[in-house]
Amino acid sequence: MDDLALHAAALAARHPGAARLRHAGTSRAGTPLWLLSVGHGSRHALVVAGPHANEPVGGATALRLAERLLAGPPPSEEEADITWNFLLCLDPDGARRNEGWLSGPYTLGHYFRHFFRPGFTEQPEWLPDGADRAALPETRTLLALQDELRPFFHCSLHGVDVGGGFVELTRDLPGLAQRVAHTAARLGVPRELGPYDTLYWPSLGPAVYRIPPPRRGDLAAAITEAAVESTWYHPHRYGTVTAVVEAPMWGVPAVGDGSPAADPETFLRTVARTLRHDTRLLDGLLARLRPRLAGVLDAERLLAPVDDYLLVSPGLADSWDPDVHDPAARPLPACDTAHLTALGISGRRVALRTAGLLHRLATAAGPATAELVPRLDALIDGWCTDYREHYGARWIPVARQVEYQSRVVLAACRLAARRPPGPTPPPRPEEGRPRSGEPEWGAGTAVPMHRE
């Protein structure tokens, strides 16, 4: 994570008239949250990298976009009036806990054995109690930037560990689906035509989905429907378009196959039965492991997501099982090959993430839990083999992940810039305060590293 700030500082030093770097906030562990701004336009784009700790591609994408913008004049007068603001990593503390796999080798087994993602209530884009009661300093920093900048375009950079690329929008951007299709085809990145994240959301075109308006919900609803309050909708009052751009690490071609499935009900029963079996197995391993974790550094942080995954897994399995699904509940959408593939990957993902976190805990506990490590190794290896051999998961080089995400962000921003102005926003609490991109903004907050 330090490398992101160093590279951003070097960019600001090379382009002192066009780029600025400032300390926008501080994480729970005291890590600076850096904002890199490029340009001096009157309209603002806010790009947020690293909202999920295990999805590092966004930081590289943010720097790639900044480099591209600084390399030459904007292609149009419209784009010359945009100030780009890049929040380099929203969850740097969580990202540090993934450093065990970031330098490679880029294999599924290595990734899941070093995987970390905090519990759902510690993920900074989620607002379980609303914006006014946001508890995390990272969340409050992002909300403050949204209120300060009032961006016409707000982009959250996400990664899909196994699957394909797709985009989620708070407002429609006609033409984006075609641009995503073109970029994905040029770069050999599969599009995800039925992501689990958007299972119940309206489609705006292939691999582009409409984020539903927020509502209050419990933990299970937040996980299974992803429709509770979040920072994605917070700037909606300013006429902002939010785009969540997902780029895959391991691509699976079948997530882009919209053909009818041969026997969807049998497949769903199998996926549900497998998830129940895996959940019982992992629950038993956790019961043996938990009493032996006294003194293990960060044990509670690693246990929180384990408990979350095991809490929701039985409900997920029931919601997919045709023999158990409550007919009064929302029915599953039409299950073509893409949807079924995404559901199968999701069920396996929950188990693998849980096993990976348990492996980290068992390894850290030393001799007290040494007998559990080979069992967890066997589970991780077997489930990763299923990803490779059954689903055909293949690593996508980082440069291609970054190029795909960068092009989709630029396409979405250009379309958002052409939209009619949104509603008149409420007055600013401090109308005279300089904004990002203005000469007085950020004065005195230069980063010492820029001299490097």
Side-chain angles (χ1 to χ4, degrees):
M1 295 307 102
D2 296 334
D3 287 347
L4 289 175
L6 288 169
H7 285 298
L11 273 177
R14 290 199 302 271
H15 303 274
R20 302 156 305 286
L21 186 64
R22 70 140 160 167
H23 178 203
T26 305
S27 74
R28 282 159 281 176
T31 306
L33 304 177
W34 297 110
L35 186 77
L36 175 67
S37 298
V38 175
H40 296 280
S42 65
R43 308 181 73 194
H44 290 268
L46 175 60
V47 178
V48 181
H52 283 160
N54 63 306
E55 298 170 2
V57 65
T61 296
L63 291 177
R64 179 73 185 97
L65 285 167
E67 290 168 350
R68 185 170 289 177
L69 294 164
L70 290 165
S76 68
E77 183 177 336
E78 185 179 65
E79 292 182 46
D81 194 34
I82 298 173
T83 297
W84 286 79
N85 304 276
F86 301 98
L87 189 58
L88 298 179
C89 186
L90 183 59
D91 186 8
D93 303 337
R96 287 189 193 282
R97 293 185 171 90
N98 281 277
E99 288 180 343
W101 69 268
L102 288 179
S103 58
Y106 298 120
T107 65
L108 286 162
H110 190 65
Y111 164 70
F112 281 109
R113 283 179 175 85
H114 296 86
F115 166 87
F116 175 78
R117 185 153 158 176
F120 294 107
T121 59
E122 293 188 344
Q123 294 179 18
E125 285 188 317
W126 189 35
L127 300 174
D129 300 311
D132 293 340
R133 298 177 62 190
L136 305 181
E138 299 90 340
T139 307
R140 294 195 297 269
T141 295
L142 177 53
L143 293 172
L145 286 171
Q146 291 174 339
D147 290 336
E148 174 195 334
L149 302 174
R150 303 185 173 202
F152 76 92
F153 178 66
H154 165 234
C155 185
S156 182
L157 301 178
H158 284 251
V160 179
D161 46 18
V162 179
F166 59 99
V167 182
E168 301 150 307
L169 298 172
T170 55
R171 302 179 193 270
D172 192 6
L173 292 177
L176 183 60
Q178 291 89 337
R179 288 163 172 79
V180 170
H182 176 75
T183 298
R186 287 288 299 271
L187 296 171
V189 173
R191 288 179 300 158
E192 193 146 345
L193 302 184
Y196 173 70
D197 292 16
T198 68
L199 192 60
Y200 298 104
W201 297 1
S203 172
L204 300 174
V208 179
Y209 307 91
R210 176 71 177 268
I211 302 171
R215 63 174 175 78
R216 296 294 173 91
D218 59 16
L219 178 63
I223 297 161
T224 58
E225 299 182 36
V228 294
E229 284 198 62
S230 72
T231 56
W232 299 346
Y233 254 99
H234 180 72
H236 205 68
R237 70 194 81 180
Y238 307 129
T240 303
V241 177
T242 292
V244 181
V245 180
E246 306 265 5
M249 293 191 287
W250 281 270
V252 173
V255 298
D257 182 356
S259 65
D263 189 355
E265 288 202 354
T266 297
F267 183 90
L268 288 169
R269 288 188 186 95
T270 300
V271 170
R273 184 172 62 247
T274 299
L275 181 55
R276 291 190 195 101
H277 170 270
D278 294 346
T279 301
R280 288 192 297 269
L281 180 61
L282 293 166
D283 216 7
L285 290 170
L286 174 61
R288 294 168 60 187
L289 180 62
R290 195 189 293 270
R292 311 182 204 179
L293 295 177
V296 173
L297 185 66
D298 264 357
E300 290 305 314
R301 280 286 172 85
L302 294 169
L303 283 170
V306 169
D307 290 335
D308 287 346
Y309 291 138
L310 293 177
L311 170 68
V312 302
S313 291
L316 287 178
D318 289 350
S319 71
W320 301 341
D321 192 335
D323 299 329
V324 178
H325 185 74
D326 182 357
R330 185 165 14 186
L332 287 172
C335 287
D336 55 20
T337 300
H339 281 89
L340 291 179
T341 301
L343 287 176
I345 289 172
S346 297
R348 180 62 75 217
R349 177 184 292 125
V350 171
L352 262 169
R353 288 180 174 180
T354 306
L357 290 162
L358 292 176
H359 188 278
R360 290 186 68 161
L361 286 163
T363 302
T369 56
E371 81 279 5
L372 299 180
V373 174
R375 178 61 173 140
L376 288 163
D377 275 327
L379 290 175
I380 292 170
D381 288 341
W383 293 339
C384 287
T385 298
D386 185 49
Y387 264 161
R388 288 191 304 272
E389 296 185 358
H390 180 72
Y391 290 99
R394 296 294 180 268
W395 173 253
I396 298 173
V398 174
R400 254 200 293 154
Q401 297 178 40
V402 170
E403 187 63 20
Y404 166 80
Q405 195 169 54
S406 300
R407 292 188 190 185
V408 172
V409 171
L410 285 172
C413 184
R414 286 166 181 158
L415 292 170
R418 298 171 195 162
R419 291 183 74 254
T424 302
R428 293 178 182 276
E430 300 177 55
E431 198 61 52
R433 189 160 63 100
R435 295 176 300 168
S436 173
E438 296 176 351
E440 296 82 10
W441 180 83
T445 59
V447 183
M449 291 182 295
H450 78 284
R451 297 175 182 166
E452 189 171 62

